Amino acid sequence: MSIVEMRGACKPGDYKSDIKPIWCPGCGDYHVLMSFTRAFAALALPPENIVVVSGIGCSSRIPAYTSCYGFHGVHGRSLALAAGLKVTRPELTVVVASGDGDGYSIGGNHFLHACRRNIDLTYVVMDNHIYGMTKGQPSPTTEPEFDTALSPGGTGLRPFHPLVIALASGANFIARCFSGEPNQTAAVLVEAIRHPGFSFVEILSPCVTFRPDESEWKNLVHPAPVGATNDPAKAARRIMTDDGFNIGILYRGDRKPYQPPVGQGCGDLPELERDFEL
Ligand SMILES: Cc1ncc(C[n+]2csc(CCOP(=O)(O)OP(=O)(O)O)c2C)c(N)n1
Ligand code: SF4
Ligand SMILES: [Mg+2]
């Protein structure tokens, strides 16, 4: 499809690549991909103006399945890559895709500072409470009692609370979605992409292979009882006391995004090279 054609009505299919996903049949990530393409079509953004950046994991395979620019980076470093890209090319829409292992474990430190910096990125974490790609090790969001051969008797460890951490660290938009509701998720992604600053969208996306118990999530999710607030104290109270299955936009902040003047980041390149001469 040419760029000119793309300016007209956009269809979700225009954002799909020819690569067939290799996720397990029934994996929640298929629906997340559907939500991405529906959101991009609703925003009518040309695919060449969108970049999907990821780390490593089943969830992080998503850039290859879109027709947008993509960067399948190294484990836990998607936010660092995306931040560099966005500050140098602010005209691009940068969406970052991660998993609970990639984003909260090895990439946990980057998560805190990305929230704090508030660069205009949309960060989507497909949370299945497990390391799917490496065959089911516990992740920071695995329940303490989750008992497998890899964690006999459970880890006994308190899980990480991604939404509270995002709020405390300065994220400007916070939402929770369920992969089984692709239209609702697409609508939240549209809002997240439009909202200035760092938008964090946690998508509960079941791993049918290593967490068959997560098929129950479809019966547990429910719309958040109240709409989004811009008051961080109210948001903190609501997020900390909900049951983990409230779906919707939970916080919309009004912090100004960080955007340094383009081209002033590293100064004169030849001069910089001279500084590093041996
Ligand atoms: C530096 C490094 N350490 C460990 C790994 C192995 N590894 C690959 S994916 C992954 C976990 C992915 O889990 P998650 O982000 O939750 O993705 P999922 O597969 O569950 O979607 C790990 C530990 C790696 N690729 N690189
Ligand atoms: S292992 Fe789990 S997360 Fe990975 S593709 Fe299969 S169902 Fe999805
Ligand atoms: Mg995972």
Side-chain angles (χ1 to χ4, degrees), residues 23-24 27 29 58 128 132-133 206-210:
W23 292 312
C24 308
C27 176
D29 297 348
C58 298
N128 52 17
M133 178 174 264
C207 171
V208 292
T209 301
F210 296 105

Side-chain angles (χ1 to χ4, degrees), residues 97 118 246:
N118 198 29
N246 273 4

Side-chain angles (χ1 to χ4, degrees), residues 59 99-102 126-132 139:
S59 37
D100 43 309
D102 185 72
M126 285 157 258
D127 191 350
N128 52 17
H129 298 187
I130 204 82
Y131 291 2
S139 85

